Amino acid sequence: MARAEFIQLKLCERFSLRDRLIRSRLEGRSAAETISDVPQLYWQSGHPWHEVNLWFFNQAKLVSLGLRDIKTLHAIAVSMKFYMSFLESERLSWDVFPDKYAERCLVIFRGYLVKLRVDGELAPSTCKRRMNDVLKFYDWLLEMKMLDRKVLPFRKERNEIPIFNAAGVKRTLVTYRRDLS
């Protein structure tokens, strides 16, 4: 079964320009040198899940800047560990997406969560949280170009909503909807 460990993460001061801009807006706050209890996930075989652990490191930077709470990171780790356990029990690979949509790990996982919700084993809010955490991880993988874009893990639809202010100036609010949310 998948397992989680919590480590001390020492951050270096090498931040991107975007991170520096965020830090400058935080009025003198500086990144903590060490962040306690950063989650790390390991497969049943004992091997780390490198990609999700890298995502946790990325999230830890937000914790050090005061933009995210470490408890949020722990909640995400619970969701990802649950997903890992599911993948191991079903013998599915997290990064393989067959052409047949119904055979994709995320679609099967969503079906599993729906079944747990219907059977009363998980609350609807818990199911939604777990699915959204997993989808955020895949969104991050796509953003970082760590997944092959030939076959996307889920369908994402862009929705543009025109908004006019009192002066008649048009702005557009862009939202995204995933078919698995």
Side-chain angles (χ1 to χ4, degrees):
M1 188 164 139
R3 67 183 170 85
E5 290 182 5
F6 298 92
I7 64 167
Q8 300 276 332
L9 179 63
K10 184 169 182 163
L11 290 176
C12 63
E13 285 295 321
R14 296 181 66 200
F15 290 99
S16 69
L17 176 61
R18 182 174 153 255
D19 293 333
R20 283 189 214 126
L21 291 173
I22 291 170
R23 284 178 59 190
S24 69
R25 291 182 185 157
L26 294 176
E27 299 174 15
R29 289 191 203 174
S30 63
E33 287 186 11
T34 304
I35 302 170
S36 299
D37 298 330
V38 176
Q40 294 288 280
L41 298 182
Y42 296 86
W43 296 102
Q44 186 174 10
S45 65
H47 292 93
W49 189 0
H50 295 292
E51 294 80 4
V52 82
N53 292 337
L54 185 61
W55 185 46
F56 288 150
F57 286 163
N58 187 277
Q59 297 297 307
K61 278 198 310 187
L62 298 176
V63 171
S64 74
L65 294 169
L67 299 173
R68 174 147 306 148
D69 192 282
I70 192 71
K71 291 178 185 176
T72 303
L73 197 52
H74 291 172
I76 293 169
V78 169
S79 297
M80 296 308 294
K81 184 180 173 220
F82 184 83
Y83 180 56
M84 286 177 76
S85 296
F86 165 78
L87 291 171
E88 288 178 330
S89 68
E90 298 295 317
R91 297 179 187 226
L92 295 170
S93 180
W94 68 272
D95 60 349
V96 175
F97 301 99
D99 289 334
K100 191 171 181 183
Y101 196 71
E103 294 176 358
R104 296 182 185 179
C105 58
L106 287 171
V107 175
I108 297 169
F109 180 63
R110 184 178 184 281
Y112 176 68
L113 287 175
V114 169
K115 182 184 180 311
L116 291 176
R117 186 191 72 214
V118 169
D119 293 346
E121 294 180 41
L122 283 180
S125 59
T126 304
C127 293
K128 184 174 183 165
R129 169 69 191 245
R130 289 191 175 164
M131 191 71 214
N132 281 333
D133 288 343
V134 170
L135 291 175
K136 285 178 194 173
F137 168 64
Y138 280 97
D139 273 335
W140 179 80
L141 286 172
L142 289 168
E143 182 183 324
M144 296 291 120
K145 297 179 177 37
M146 295 175 70
L147 269 183
D148 184 13
R149 293 188 144 242
K150 290 178 185 169
V151 180
L152 295 176
F154 49 81
R155 297 180 189 124
K156 194 172 182 177
E157 157 185 323
R158 179 183 165 119
N159 188 20
E160 296 183 6
I161 304 166
I163 299 172
F164 296 91
N165 66 10
V169 176
K170 179 183 174 185
R171 294 182 181 235
T172 303
L173 175 66
V174 179
T175 61
Y176 292 94
R177 184 187 173 285
R178 298 181 216 108
D179 63 337
L180 296 174
S181 300

